[in-house]
């Protein structure tokens, strides 16, 4: 089995010409021709273990999902101008996983569409424009979402931040402004949001919404301290705004202990809007916005009808229902909890062996491994995280030094063993040239090449 680590931006940054569209592994592109479960295969039949594909939530090409889509397509696939049982049945099944307050579903086709619609709902309901987002956040690729995605707009040297967008510190207790040693990081980070609200009011404007990924993914697998969202929601609602929880990357049982990641904050926390994407259709273009009846009625009163040609079509809903069935039938939420804990335990033991590993964090099968050259100074080990070692992982975060685990939920303990063993070999190899020297000397890491690692593996 071949395993590969990659970073979405590693080759992009190194190229003199920066293409607007690019392929991964530009020095050695992979052509994937088929996939099953947690495995992908190239045109030569080489098997890859997929540790990152949170789109194939219940496993690549799951037969139940494929069959559901094919059977419905044989009978009917049309737009949403007509009544169809699948739409109602799926909305009911989806709503049953959520707090009662969240009772109105809008079906769309992608996470970007979902988050764009969430902003429209918030601005119509509140009558306000200003949005609070988090450092390193990513919410989608359409123009309205690039404006609220520092992960994207901070890459543009000549871009001006929208006057209606305000960026709060990421609630990162490892590297952020308030860390694990702080007596109350949740309140400290919430106070930063309070400062933003006060500044907005001084300018004569008002808050429409605070939006956050329930667990930050592109921002480096950040787990907010418990109580942070409750305090922020209270502040934002007092200011006339609402709370949007982006579950596009972390919903549908991935965290193991709960079905939705916002529930990690406690059963007393309920967002005003949640958005879904990626795992909802297991690769099929399906997503959803779920909100309260009050927000939906305000949107309806605007006088502008909302219509989405393909959102909630019969085939998409059949596939969505099949995904929920598989999660339940195969106990994938329970598997995420069990295998995720096993992964975290194995990685913690690896951390004891390798000083390059600064932090292990995550919930269920949403795990981050932050690499640092100095555990005291938290010097990011960016180059080390970009090593192309044939492991299907991604490196992300503001310093591109966090290895992200977001595999299909059918991941097994045997898969964990394989990945951790390979990571052990790679980290040992990276340190090998400097065993008798100061491993915190950054120059010693850059001299270690891809070819050297291939020889070792």
């Amino acid at each position: 089995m071949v395993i590969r680590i990659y970073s979405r931006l590693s080759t992009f940054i190194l190229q003199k010409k920066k293409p607007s569209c690019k392929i991964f592994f530009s020095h050695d592109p992979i052509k994937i021709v088929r996939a099953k479960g947690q495995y992908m295969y190239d045109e030569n039949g080489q098997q890859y273990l997929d540790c990152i594909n949170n789109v194939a939530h219940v496993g690549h090409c799951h037969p139940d999902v494929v069959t559901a889509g094919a059977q419905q397509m044989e009978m009917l696939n049309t737009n949403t101008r007509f009544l169809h049982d699948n739409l109602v049945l799926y909305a009911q099944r989806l709503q049953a996983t959520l707090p009662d307050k969240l009772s109105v579903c809008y079906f769309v086709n992608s996470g970007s569409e979902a988050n764009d619609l969430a902003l429209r709902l918030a601005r119509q309901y509140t009558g306000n424009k200003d949005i609070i987002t988090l450092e390193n956040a990513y919410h989608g690729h359409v123009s309205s979402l690039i404006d609220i995605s520092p992960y994207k707009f901070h890459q543009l040297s000549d871009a001006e931040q929208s006057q209606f967008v305000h960026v709060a510190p990421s609630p990162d207790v490892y590297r952020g402004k308030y860390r694990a040693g702080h007596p109350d990081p949740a309140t400290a980070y919430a106070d930063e949001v309070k400062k933003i609200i006060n500044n907005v009011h001084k300018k004569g404007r008002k808050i429409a919404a605070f939006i956050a990924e329930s667990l930050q993914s592109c921002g480096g697998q950040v787990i907010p301290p418990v109580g942070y969202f409750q305090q922020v929601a209270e502040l934002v609602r007092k200011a006339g705004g609402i709370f949007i929880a982006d579950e596009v990357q972390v919903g549908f049982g991935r965290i193991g202990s709960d079905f939705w990641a916002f529930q990690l904050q406690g059963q007393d926390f309920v967002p005003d809007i949640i958005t879904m994407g990626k795992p909802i259709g297991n690769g099929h273009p399906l997503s959803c916005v779920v909100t309260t009846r009050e927000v939906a009625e305000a949107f309806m009163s605007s006088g502008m009808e909302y219509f989405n040609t393909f959102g909630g079509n019969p085939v998409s809903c059949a596939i969505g229902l099949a995904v929920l069935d598989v999660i339940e039938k195969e106990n994938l939420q329970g598997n995420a909890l069990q295998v995720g804990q096993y992964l975290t335990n194995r990685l913690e033991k690896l951390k004891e062996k390798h000083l390059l590993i600064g932090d292990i964090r995550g919930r269920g099968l949403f795990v981050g491994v932050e690499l640092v050259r100095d555990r005291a100074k938290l010097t990011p080990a960016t180059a080390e995280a970009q090593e192309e070692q044939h492991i299907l992982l991604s490196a992300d975060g503001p310093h591109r030094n966090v290895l992200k685990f977001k595999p299909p939920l059918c991941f097994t303990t045997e898969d964990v063993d394989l990945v951790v063993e390979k990571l052990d070999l790679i980290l040992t190899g990276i340190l090998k040239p400097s065993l008798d020297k100061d491993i915190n000397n950054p120059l010693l890491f850059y001299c270690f090449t891809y070819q050297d690692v291939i020889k070792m593996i």
Side-chain angles (χ1 to χ4, degrees):
M1 177 172 298
V2 179
I3 308 183
R4 175 173 297 191
I5 292 178
Y6 74 88
S7 167
R8 281 186 260 180
L9 294 180
S10 59
T11 55
F12 182 87
I13 293 170
L14 294 174
Q15 291 171 339
K16 292 182 180 179
K17 295 182 179 180
K18 298 182 178 180
S20 58
C21 295
K22 64 185 183 65
I23 59 172
F24 297 130
F25 319 124
S26 60
H27 75 286
D28 184 19
I30 303 175
K31 182 180 179 181
I32 295 295
V33 297
R34 65 185 180 91
K36 184 177 181 180
Q38 63 271 49
Y39 303 105
M40 306 179 78
Y41 302 85
D42 67 18
E43 74 272 31
N44 299 314
Q46 177 63 63
Q47 179 174 284
Y48 296 80
L49 177 61
D50 186 355
C51 303
I52 56 169
N53 209 321
N54 60 333
V55 176
H57 191 66
V58 300
H60 290 278
C61 304
H62 194 288
D64 290 7
V65 178
V66 173
T67 299
Q71 288 180 346
Q72 181 57 52
M73 194 172 293
E74 287 180 343
M75 290 188 291
L76 173 70
N77 190 26
T78 183
N79 62 33
T80 49
R81 294 185 186 276
F82 310 101
L83 299 178
H84 197 277
D85 288 347
N86 282 2
L87 179 63
V88 178
L89 293 171
Y90 186 43
Q92 290 175 337
R93 284 282 302 279
L94 204 55
Q95 196 278 325
T97 69
L98 294 161
D100 292 340
K101 176 182 174 183
L102 296 167
S103 59
V104 181
C105 299
Y106 294 86
F107 290 105
V108 291
N109 304 297
S110 69
S112 290
E113 268 197 282
N115 281 327
D116 179 73
L117 177 56
L119 294 184
R120 288 179 60 189
L121 288 166
R123 284 170 167 156
Q124 176 63 33
Y125 176 71
T126 64
N128 306 329
K129 286 189 175 182
D130 288 53
I131 305 293
I132 302 175
T133 187
L134 291 177
E135 285 177 331
N136 311 313
Y138 175 66
H139 295 289
H141 62 79
V142 300
S143 297
S144 64
L145 304 178
I146 294 296
D147 285 345
I148 63 167
S149 297
Y151 178 83
K152 287 292 186 181
F153 69 64
H154 281 168
Q155 298 172 31
L156 306 174
S157 58
D158 58 345
E160 293 185 7
Q161 182 175 321
S162 169
Q163 63 175 325
F164 298 110
V165 176
H166 314 278
V167 181
S170 170
D172 181 352
V173 296
Y174 177 70
R175 181 179 290 279
K177 188 173 182 180
Y178 307 106
R179 301 181 180 177
H182 191 280
D184 189 359
T187 299
Y189 279 116
D191 285 344
E192 295 289 331
V193 175
K194 185 177 182 180
K195 292 176 186 176
I196 289 174
I197 293 172
N198 291 337
N199 288 334
V200 169
H201 287 174
K202 287 178 183 178
K203 295 176 182 178
R205 300 205 297 269
K206 294 182 179 179
I207 300 296
F210 173 94
I211 183 170
E213 300 158 88
S214 298
L215 304 175
Q216 273 193 295
S217 182
C218 292
Q221 306 295 86
V222 175
I223 314 297
V226 174
Y228 171 65
F229 281 169
Q230 287 95 324
Q231 294 186 59
V232 168
E234 183 178 359
L235 291 167
V236 169
R237 287 164 181 160
K238 283 183 178 178
I242 61 177
F243 193 106
I244 303 171
D246 181 338
E247 291 271 338
V248 168
Q249 300 212 48
V250 293
F252 291 88
R254 174 162 296 279
I255 63 167
S257 59
D258 297 280
F259 201 76
W260 303 104
F262 72 80
Q263 293 170 321
L264 287 170
Q265 292 282 311
Q267 297 305 311
D268 62 326
F269 172 66
V270 180
D272 300 289
I273 300 175
I274 71 167
T275 59
M276 309 168 194
K278 295 187 189 297
I280 188 172
N282 209 57
H284 183 81
L286 169 66
S287 60
C288 188
V289 179
V290 186
T291 188
T292 65
R293 185 161 298 280
E294 292 78 13
V295 171
E297 288 175 351
F299 191 54
M300 181 175 62
S301 69
S302 69
M304 181 186 294
E305 292 182 354
Y306 180 78
F307 177 74
N308 189 298
T309 302
F310 296 112
N313 70 75
V315 172
S316 293
C317 289
I319 288 172
L321 282 164
V323 170
L324 292 178
D325 287 341
V326 172
I327 292 172
E328 182 177 349
K329 181 175 69 174
E330 299 183 5
N331 189 27
L332 292 183
Q333 181 178 334
N335 188 68
L337 182 63
Q338 178 185 355
V339 177
Q341 186 60 60
Y342 183 73
L343 171 61
T344 302
N345 292 341
R346 286 295 313 269
L347 290 171
E348 287 289 354
K349 291 180 181 178
L350 201 62
K351 178 183 173 183
E352 296 174 3
K353 181 178 179 181
H354 296 288
L355 292 178
L356 266 176
I357 299 177
D359 191 39
I360 307 294
R361 54 182 177 265
R363 298 291 186 275
L365 283 173
F366 179 87
V367 177
V369 180
E370 180 148 359
L371 303 183
V372 296
R373 296 176 186 164
D374 186 312
R375 287 184 178 178
K377 298 178 181 178
L378 304 188
T379 309
T382 301
E384 293 78 3
Q386 316 308 320
E387 288 291 341
E388 303 274 353
Q389 310 306 334
H390 296 88
I391 297 182
L392 284 174
L393 281 172
S394 61
D396 224 324
H399 304 285
R400 303 295 183 265
N401 69 318
V402 180
L403 302 180
K404 304 198 302 182
F405 288 83
K406 301 180 300 177
L409 296 196
C410 52
F411 216 62
T412 68
T413 55
E414 290 77 15
D415 296 328
V416 170
D417 290 337
L418 175 63
V419 172
V420 173
E421 287 167 10
K422 290 293 186 179
L423 282 176
D424 187 18
L425 283 173
I426 292 167
L427 294 173
T428 300
I430 288 175
L431 292 174
K432 187 176 180 181
S434 57
L435 287 178
D436 299 323
K437 301 177 182 179
D438 177 11
I439 65 169
N440 293 322
N441 183 347
L443 296 177
L444 295 174
F445 291 96
Y446 285 101
C447 66
F448 201 69
T449 67
Y450 172 72
Q451 288 74 19
D452 292 333
V453 178
I454 291 299
K455 289 177 183 177
M456 286 191 306
I457 294 179

